[in-house]
Amino acid sequence: VATVTLPAILSNVISDNKGATSNIFCTKIFAVCVGIADYSGAVNDVLNNTTVHDAEDMRSYLITYQGWSSANIVVRLNSNATESIISSDISNMPNSTGNSELFFYSGHGSTSGLTTYSGTFSPSELTASFGNSFGQYCCFINSCHAGIFANNMNNGEISCACENDEYASAVGPDDNCVYPYYILEGIKNNQADPVSGHVVSVKEVHD
């Protein structure tokens, strides 16, 4: 699993507190969750739709366990997850002081970026979509060569499934890919920080 040392600005973007703290963050947290399994041409499809399940499960977790508003979460699956649509969705989140944002991606990737349904989404394009001066966000990226994002983005908290020269596994428990499954388990079951009352940080979940 690849990561880089970045400012710990999202230490509470993911929290297992279901009280007042969680409710406060719900009004200022936004997410874009992307899962692509059905690519153009069957040879490129992801078996068992695991990548789609990843995105759907992330949305379900944010709503069920955190109480986030479904209105603040955009989910793009398969043909609705093109380069231009994903970029627009991220840009349309209110990238302003006081807001925190999450981008989750599960699908194919290359050494150039994320392989969307149509087009390649590069690290520089992802940074620009958030706004080059905005840093209050985290990204969970599940794809082959995902480490290219950790190595080329200087803002936000970037957690990746593998190094830029490695491959990610699409076959994991519960019809999820390996990396997203354990990311969700670390958050949902509080395994990343089992101390009662503690906030689970992006770094703790990643580690």
Side-chain angles (χ1 to χ4, degrees), residues 7-159:
I9 52 175
L10 282 190
S11 60
N12 49 19
V13 70
I14 299 174
S15 166
D16 268 342
N17 298 326
K18 292 181 68 68
T21 300
S22 178
N23 291 334
I24 290 172
F25 288 129
C26 285
T27 64
K28 294 188 176 183
I29 294 184
F30 302 83
V32 173
C33 301
V34 176
I36 310 174
D38 184 13
Y39 282 87
S40 179
V43 68
N44 297 316
D45 290 351
V46 177
L47 293 177
N48 301 320
N49 290 317
T50 52
T51 46
V52 166
H53 297 157
D54 294 337
E56 292 174 333
D57 287 350
M58 176 60 80
R59 176 186 182 275
S60 177
Y61 165 74
L62 294 175
I63 295 171
T64 302
Y65 292 92
Q66 294 299 308
W68 291 17
S69 170
S70 60
N72 290 353
I73 304 172
V74 174
V75 177
R76 296 295 184 184
L77 306 175
N78 297 325
S79 61
N80 289 319
T82 65
E83 176 188 8
S84 60
I85 289 174
I86 294 170
S87 178
S88 178
D89 286 338
I90 296 172
S91 297
N92 287 336
M93 289 192 289
N95 306 329
S96 58
T97 301
N99 293 335
S100 293
E101 299 171 359
L102 182 152
F103 172 62
F104 175 85
Y105 174 89
S106 190
H108 288 312
S110 70
T111 54
S112 298
L114 305 178
T115 305
T116 73
Y117 190 84
S118 176
T120 300
F121 197 50
S122 68
S124 61
E125 187 173 4
L126 178 55
T127 299
S129 296
F130 276 111
N132 291 311
S133 61
F134 182 74
Q136 191 77 8
Y137 61 85
C138 69
C139 301
F140 292 105
I141 300 177
N142 178 60
S143 73
C144 294
H145 311 291
I148 186 177
F149 287 85
N151 295 332
N152 290 280
M153 293 180 66
N154 297 318
N155 295 330
E157 299 252 3
I158 317 299
S159 176

Side-chain angles (χ1 to χ4, degrees), residues 143-145 161-163 165-169:
S143 73
C144 294
H145 311 291
C162 59
E163 297 283 358
D165 60 350
E166 295 178 336
Y167 298 94
S169 175

